[in-house]
Amino acid sequence: MSYFYIKKEELKIHSIFLFILSLFYLIPYFLVGQLILNPHDLLDCEIVYNHIIGRIYRGDIESINLFLAGEIKWYFLKGILRPLTLLYAFFETEVAYWLTDILVKLISYTCFFKLSRRLNCSVFNSALIACLFASYIDAKTIFGLGIATLPYLIYLVIKNKNLSLKHYCLLAFIGLNFDLALHMYVIPILFFVSLILCPRYQSYNFKLFFKISFVLLFFIFLSNSNLIYAQLFSEPSFRTSYFTEAPDLITNFKSLMIGFFSIPIIKGNSYFFHYLPFTLYTFFIILISLFSKNRISYLLLLVIFIILSVSFILGLEFVNSIRNNSEGLFKTIHWSYIDRSLPVLYGLLFVVTSKSMIKKTKYLIYPIIFLSLIAAQIRISIVPLGKHFLSFNNLSVVEKNQFRKSFHDQKYGLFIKDIIKFKENRLKYSNQSFKSLYTFKGYYNYENYKYIKSLVGDSRIISIGLDPMVAVVNDISVIDGYHTLYPLSYKLKFRKIIEKQLDLNEGMKKYYDYWGERVYTFVSDPKVIKINFVQAKHVGAEYVISKYSISNEILIPICER
């Protein structure tokens, strides 16, 4: 009877925290009938790749030629051999994305809960911190299971039992859905964290760790073999032209300290509100851990510091110089991505201090965690929903500019006053149809691009002031776009098109020459368009679609809308 009572109570706790996670979807859906996501790196990049991969799996092999004048090869597509990406073959792109998002969050929650319980954390605390961990990775669910399942991998090692067939199958599934480029640091972190968490009464099982690592690596290399092939045998990618500028030593050290203590930076930080829910938690859990007098907490803090030190070391002038002048993986890999494992460590700090310091500070840490949890579910949707219900689109030009200026200048007191001042619009226009770039429908603009497709047919286009990847989703061939892997030769070829445009903006010029993932026209001022349209035609463009009116003697307008 007692056993069933415990299970019933555990089920109630899971239901509460899973409901909190579901608010991320339920709040926007019930308010405006659409799901909302952050478009950055998703709608403008990763989701487009998966959309094309889904078409390839359905037999439309030629769809890859929609990208970059047909110069992207199938083995450049990250995730093309990942089983989770098959969802894009069976479902529409939007449905496939949300199914992946929900599935990875549930896996994250389950994995961290299992690890926490193994470390003798209470059911409530385990579910609480597992829920926060799942909220942490919501924007990264599209990148596979590397970070989501790291807690489970730690659990397997410290459990110290022989692997069964079930475990091998799970390891194979994790490895096949692993992003090698982003999560290659998981295995060394797995070793150090599991070594720290290994109980004192048992010796560390090195054999078990190597067995897990070998199985995992085999399937990781299998599912990422296309990227390995591209690195070893394909023509040089644009990544070989990477060049980074080193910050001065004081700025570099300041960034390290700010990162370690999770001190929120307001000025100049466009992602301040985006990360604020988690910054609240991490700032206080770091402080609590520092005063915990707990050996495990201190060792975890040391690992966190070492992880953050990677960016500091790479930012040292002599290291940066060596990297810029080197070749191969040392230059082309994003070493700073190691910090993507930090959510696991921040969660573990709560787990290992929950029996001592957390009890003493429960009136501080629990309200902060619950505030972080709720804020995490609305941090993406609050801006587009706020604009909708405040009827931002119906404000005058002067009012719009005032709103934007107070927000971007981070004059939040004035911003709140503006909201109060314009509040009468909410009731007047609250029944408008919801339009936002934070939704699939709003970002991909299906209706207008359907009309554009009817005009351009199978011809290629170049976009001015618009995201070219939107055209790809709407089955329009392009010569521009946002790509994390493409030939260096194409980067140099496209530069001839935008050479004069880049000369007008030193920041964009450095971005393209030193980085170059976005192969854009970089036109932001409609009065200054210096695109070489002759060169664009030479690369393959037959049409130009533009956000702005263009006056150019070699262009013939065919439609204005």
Side-chain angles (χ1 to χ4, degrees):
M1 189 71 179
S2 176
Y3 171 80
F4 289 106
Y5 174 76
I6 292 172
K7 286 296 179 183
K8 186 177 179 181
E9 289 302 308
E10 186 174 321
L11 185 61
K12 285 182 181 179
I13 291 171
H14 285 311
S15 300
I16 291 170
F17 287 109
L18 289 176
F19 173 74
I20 291 175
L21 276 179
S22 71
L23 292 177
F24 181 87
Y25 314 100
L26 296 178
I27 290 174
Y29 185 77
F30 281 115
L31 287 177
V32 295
Q34 296 184 60
L35 298 180
I36 292 174
L37 71 161
N38 183 3
H40 180 67
D41 286 346
L42 295 177
L43 290 172
D44 59 354
C45 183
E46 297 292 340
I47 290 173
V48 185
Y49 295 163
N50 290 348
H51 170 77
I52 294 299
I53 291 171
R55 290 182 60 174
I56 291 172
Y57 276 125
R58 289 196 297 269
D60 186 5
I61 307 297
E62 298 301 317
S63 61
I64 194 173
N65 292 323
L66 294 172
F67 288 129
L68 290 189
E71 294 200 22
I72 293 289
K73 307 302 180 184
W74 73 268
Y75 45 80
F76 284 157
L77 295 180
K78 186 171 62 175
I80 194 169
L81 301 179
R82 198 182 299 159
L84 277 177
T85 315
L86 282 170
L87 289 171
Y88 289 81
F90 298 119
F91 299 97
E92 292 184 356
T93 300
E94 182 173 5
V95 175
Y97 171 78
W98 290 117
L99 285 175
T100 304
D101 190 72
I102 293 169
L103 179 60
V104 175
K105 278 188 178 179
L106 289 175
I107 290 173
S108 304
Y109 177 87
T110 304
C111 290
F112 208 98
F113 180 82
K114 264 187 103 61
L115 175 59
S116 299
R117 293 295 290 141
R118 182 67 191 178
L119 295 171
N120 299 317
C121 192
S122 69
V123 172
F124 179 84
N125 282 343
S126 296
L128 173 64
I129 201 63
C131 186
L132 186 62
F133 172 67
S135 301
Y136 249 119
I137 65 169
D138 65 357
K140 303 175 180 66
T141 55
I142 200 169
F143 300 121
L145 298 178
I147 299 301
T149 57
L150 177 55
Y152 179 73
L153 299 175
I154 298 170
Y155 163 81
L156 282 183
V157 177
I158 65 175
K159 188 181 178 182
N160 197 29
K161 291 186 178 180
N162 291 330
L163 300 177
S164 65
L165 179 61
K166 176 188 73 173
H167 297 129
Y168 283 114
C169 291
L170 288 173
L171 287 172
F173 181 72
I174 293 169
L176 289 172
N177 289 287
F178 200 99
D179 190 317
L180 180 61
L182 296 181
H183 302 146
M184 60 183 293
Y185 320 99
V186 161
I187 291 179
I189 292 172
L190 166 63
F191 171 73
F192 289 111
V193 175
S194 59
L195 185 62
I196 291 169
L197 297 177
C198 182
R200 290 185 178 183
Y201 59 80
Q202 74 178 43
S203 57
Y204 188 79
N205 194 334
F206 287 94
K207 182 179 179 181
L208 178 62
F209 167 76
F210 285 117
K211 189 181 293 185
I212 291 171
S213 300
F214 176 79
V215 174
L216 202 59
L217 283 171
F218 175 81
F219 288 101
I220 289 172
F221 289 143
L222 188 64
S223 65
N224 290 271
S225 56
N226 60 305
L227 300 180
I228 297 171
Y229 175 86
Q231 177 69 30
L232 296 177
F233 303 110
S234 179
E235 63 178 292
S237 78
F238 81 99
R239 289 172 175 262
T240 57
S241 65
Y242 276 177
F243 184 90
T244 54
E245 294 180 303
D248 63 81
L249 185 60
I250 295 176
T251 301
N252 197 16
F253 184 74
K254 182 180 176 182
S255 297
L256 174 61
M257 290 297 101
I258 287 173
F260 179 73
F261 289 102
S262 294
I263 301 172
I265 301 299
I266 300 177
K267 189 175 182 179
N269 183 6
S270 58
Y271 285 95
F272 172 73
F273 285 109
H274 183 78
Y275 291 113
L276 183 59
F278 308 119
T279 304
L280 283 173
Y281 164 74
T282 54
F283 176 74
F284 285 102
I285 199 64
I286 290 291
L287 289 181
I288 290 170
S289 300
L290 283 171
F291 292 100
S292 67
K293 297 180 181 179
N294 183 302
R295 183 185 66 89
I296 296 178
S297 295
Y298 290 154
L299 289 173
L300 290 174
L301 287 173
L302 178 61
V303 174
I304 291 172
F305 187 80
I306 291 172
I307 288 172
L308 292 171
S309 296
V310 171
S311 293
F312 172 78
I313 293 169
L314 291 173
L316 295 174
E317 190 171 349
F318 75 94
V319 177
N320 185 69
S321 178
I322 293 172
R323 188 184 183 197
N324 286 334
N325 292 293
S326 67
E327 296 182 357
L329 295 178
F330 181 57
K331 183 175 185 176
T332 59
I333 282 180
H334 295 299
W335 296 100
S336 59
Y337 282 168
I338 190 173
D339 65 6
R340 300 207 170 190
S341 59
L342 289 177
V344 178
L345 297 169
Y346 290 138
L348 285 173
L349 285 176
F350 174 84
V351 172
V352 299
T353 58
S354 61
K355 288 186 178 181
S356 54
M357 287 297 291
I358 298 300
K359 288 183 179 180
K360 298 177 183 178
T361 59
K362 61 182 179 180
Y363 295 112
L364 171 67
I365 195 65
Y366 283 112
I368 288 172
I369 293 178
F370 274 102
L371 178 62
S372 298
L373 268 181
I374 300 302
Q377 312 315 318
I378 63 172
R379 76 187 197 283
I380 304 297
S381 59
I382 192 169
V383 171
L385 289 178
K387 285 182 178 180
H388 174 67
F389 288 108
L390 288 168
S391 59
F392 183 77
N393 291 330
N394 288 279
L395 300 176
S396 67
V397 174
V398 174
E399 290 172 331
K400 285 183 180 180
N401 290 336
Q402 184 178 338
F403 230 1
R404 289 192 183 100
K405 189 174 188 306
S406 60
F407 182 79
H408 290 298
D409 290 348
Q410 298 178 338
K411 297 179 180 178
Y412 299 120
L414 180 60
F415 181 70
I416 293 171
K417 288 181 181 178
D418 289 340
I419 291 176
I420 296 172
K421 181 180 177 181
F422 305 140
K423 67 179 181 179
E424 63 271 9
N425 291 301
R426 179 182 60 183
L427 296 176
K428 189 175 179 181
Y429 300 105
S430 61
N431 291 323
Q432 285 186 322
S433 60
F434 178 71
K435 294 181 181 179
S436 173
L437 294 178
Y438 282 67
T439 66
F440 276 77
K441 184 179 179 181
Y443 195 89
Y444 291 132
N445 199 1
Y446 298 114
E447 185 178 342
N448 284 328
Y449 274 82
K450 182 178 181 181
Y451 177 69
I452 293 172
K453 174 67 176 178
S454 70
L455 295 175
V456 305
D458 294 329
S459 300
R460 292 196 183 275
I461 66 164
I462 185 172
S463 298
I464 307 289
L466 299 166
D467 181 2
M469 299 298 261
V470 174
V472 174
V473 171
N474 287 280
D475 198 32
I476 298 174
S477 300
V478 301
I479 67 168
D480 41 359
Y482 179 5
H483 294 272
T484 56
L485 192 63
Y486 68 93
L488 175 62
S489 59
Y490 193 84
K491 177 182 178 179
L492 301 176
K493 186 190 301 184
F494 192 84
R495 197 188 190 288
K496 296 177 182 178
I497 299 173
I498 59 174
E499 186 172 13
K500 291 182 179 180
Q501 191 71 39
L502 292 178
D503 289 338
L504 300 172
N505 190 320
E506 187 64 24
M508 287 296 99
K509 185 176 183 179
K510 281 186 176 181
Y511 169 81
Y512 190 80
D513 290 340
Y514 294 174
W515 196 250
E517 289 187 339
R518 286 179 170 83
V519 188
Y520 289 176
T521 50
F522 299 110
V523 174
S524 56
D525 185 350
K527 297 178 183 178
V528 186
I529 299 177
K530 299 291 184 179
I531 301 300
N532 188 333
F533 293 109
V534 174
Q535 190 63 35
K537 182 175 176 61
H538 177 71
V539 172
E542 296 290 335
Y543 291 88
V544 179
I545 61 170
S546 176
K547 182 180 180 180
Y548 318 111
S549 177
I550 302 176
S551 177
N552 191 295
E553 60 183 13
I554 69 170
L555 297 180
I556 302 175
I558 62 169
C559 176
E560 292 187 14
R561 192 173 180 178

